[in-house]
Amino acid sequence: MDAPKSPELAHIGKSVVIKGELSGSEDLFLDGQVEGTIDLKGNRLTVGPNGRIKANVNASSAVIQGRLEGNINASDRVDFKQTAVVLGDVATQRISIEEGAYFKGGVDIQREPSKAETKVESKPAPASFGAAAAVPAGMAAAHTPAAEPRK
């Protein structure tokens, strides 16, 4: 898969090794190695097939094709492609896991607060899956929270 097409896209090649904090305000295609933290609030992280990441990730969305060890916090969505190997917890609104991907960790499906909920401060937190889950090669799982009917 090619890097996503965007007017502002940083590309880190497979020979690049980064240790420490990585942050930015543009989309990032990462095919190298990173150890530390990745903070791309409001932007997309794509880990290429050669990417080897040991970091906690904070982004608006993440597409994982390589290996990621760490937690992912994505405000919009997370996609694990067929070649992904992910060890860590995921918190996002939407997640997709292709057949063949490996995932071991917890999933917290968050929902976008409605206008009514933002006015009330003491709403209970949404339920989450605290137990570890594994999706071995050959099995697929995908979850998109269904819209709740309005009353």
Side-chain angles (χ1 to χ4, degrees):
M1 177 178 186
D2 292 329
K5 307 295 184 229
S6 171
E8 293 185 28
L9 173 69
H11 186 104
I12 296 177
K14 61 184 176 182
S15 67
V16 177
V17 177
I18 298 171
K19 292 188 179 185
E21 292 183 29
L22 178 60
S23 63
S25 58
E26 58 191 286
D27 294 349
L28 175 64
F29 182 85
L30 204 160
D31 214 21
Q33 296 180 29
V34 174
E35 187 173 327
T37 60
I38 299 173
D39 189 7
L40 299 173
K41 290 181 184 161
N43 296 96
R44 175 186 205 147
L45 170 68
T46 301
V47 176
N50 299 304
R52 300 292 176 258
I53 312 303
K54 287 186 180 182
N56 289 329
V57 173
N58 191 354
S60 67
S61 64
V63 177
I64 312 300
Q65 300 172 8
R67 182 177 181 90
L68 188 142
E69 295 179 38
N71 299 330
I72 302 172
N73 187 350
S75 58
D76 184 30
R77 70 177 298 123
V78 174
D79 297 310
F80 296 154
K81 299 300 183 183
Q82 183 177 14
T83 56
V85 175
V86 180
L87 306 170
D89 296 335
V90 176
T92 189
Q93 288 185 31
R94 297 177 289 167
I95 187 169
S96 71
I97 304 171
E98 287 186 358
E99 184 174 346
Y102 179 83
F103 169 61
K104 184 173 184 180
V107 177
D108 182 0
I109 301 295
Q110 302 171 336
R111 59 182 184 150
E112 191 173 17
S114 68
K115 292 178 184 176
E117 289 178 328
T118 55
K119 293 178 183 175
V120 179
E121 295 179 15
S122 61
K123 279 283 190 182
S128 66
F129 298 95
V135 180
M139 295 183 70
H143 183 273
T144 303
E148 295 182 22
R150 294 190 179 239
K151 295 183 181 180

